[in-house]
Amino acid sequence: MPGHVIEVKNLYKDYQTAAGKFPVLKEVNLEIDAGDFVAIMGPSGSGKSTFMNILGCLDQPSSGEYMLNDQPVARLQGDRLAKVRNQTIGFVFQGFNLLARSSLLDNVALPLVYAGIDKPKRHARARVLLEKVGLANHVNSHPNQISGGQQQRVAIARALINRPSLILADEPTGNLDSKTSEEIMALFGELNREGITIVLVTHEPDIAEHASRQVRFLDGKIVEDTRTAPIAVKGAPHV
């Protein structure tokens, strides 16, 4: 296993606008080790979401290097890039992004369809993960039949289905109340203790406190990178 899951060197990202070139990221350098739990923070427009899109291979830098598990991915395109996303990264979004007309079982199993896994195997793996996140009794339910917190648990199960080495979570508690947010962060903490590297974007300091490392962006640059002991969560569910 590589020491660094993520290694970014001299990363720049510009967007072309009617007024000319607009810099979003400027000389970003960052290393994230296997097993890290990192909170990416910063005000709106600081570049944190653009940075996460690059980490997730959803966007490409204008210049610089991005190594993911020792593989240079900054310039990958097409099927090669899709394969990296499918096999290496699990995504969790603020809006859950579940398919309304599909069961929870099929929502969780969806990435395995793209991986070419047959239906019995992908359903078996999805059942295990729904049990892992406490939803074993809801496999045949649909997203509109469960709460927002439960929907986010489904999204986390889906992110785990391909056994990724890295989970990227973009404001995963943004649509949840405080109690449910704590439950979701407890779940992330447990997954991290199992060895999964987690990087999440949040603007909420209390959510960032669950991470063992906080990286703060301002005006497209990293201005702070600190390590702390993550807060202990009483009554965290075992997963």
Side-chain angles (χ1 to χ4, degrees), residues 125-222:
R125 196 185 301 181
R127 286 180 185 277
V128 169
L129 287 171
L130 283 168
E131 181 177 2
K132 185 181 184 70
V133 299
L135 293 172
N137 295 327
H138 296 274
V139 293
N140 295 317
S141 298
H142 286 71
N144 65 351
Q145 297 174 311
I146 59 175
S147 70
Q150 289 173 319
Q151 289 184 58
Q152 193 61 292
R153 286 177 176 271
V154 175
I156 292 170
R158 181 184 58 195
L160 294 170
I161 195 72
N162 272 331
R163 303 186 178 103
S165 59
L166 171 67
I167 288 181
L168 298 179
D170 190 359
E171 299 281 5
T173 61
N175 288 335
L176 305 176
D177 62 60
S178 58
K179 181 179 182 296
T180 306
S181 295
E182 288 293 310
E183 294 173 353
I184 293 300
M185 293 311 300
L187 176 54
F188 277 125
E190 186 66 29
L191 294 172
N192 180 245
R193 287 188 288 275
E194 292 177 3
I196 296 176
T197 305
I198 298 175
V199 182
L200 66 87
V201 163
T202 182
H203 66 277
E204 301 172 87
D206 57 327
I207 295 299
E209 288 178 358
H210 288 266
S212 56
R213 184 179 177 190
Q214 290 86 39
V215 175
R216 189 175 299 274
F217 276 74
L218 182 66
D219 297 331
K221 296 182 177 181
I222 293 176

Side-chain angles (χ1 to χ4, degrees), residues 9-10 15 26 30 32-34 37 39 77 81 96 109-110 139 155 164 175 179 183 189 199 225 227 229 232-233:
K9 294 181 179 179
N10 298 320
Y15 289 108
K26 312 164 190 175
L30 186 67
I32 296 176
D33 295 334
F37 188 171
Q77 296 185 7
L81 191 59
F96 317 138
L110 183 61
V139 293
N175 288 335
K179 181 179 182 296
E183 294 173 353
V199 182
D225 185 352
R227 288 187 180 272
V233 179

Side-chain angles (χ1 to χ4, degrees), residues 20-69:
K21 188 180 292 186
F22 179 74
V24 180
L25 297 175
K26 312 164 190 175
E27 199 177 354
V28 175
N29 294 276
L30 186 67
E31 294 174 349
I32 296 176
D33 295 334
D36 266 354
F37 188 171
V38 182
I40 304 291
M41 304 185 71
S44 179
S46 63
K48 62 184 186 298
S49 293
T50 298
F51 183 63
M52 282 286 279
N53 285 339
I54 291 174
L55 293 187
C57 300
L58 301 172
D59 199 357
Q60 293 182 318
S62 300
S63 63
E65 298 180 23
Y66 173 26
M67 304 288 289
L68 179 60
N69 288 335

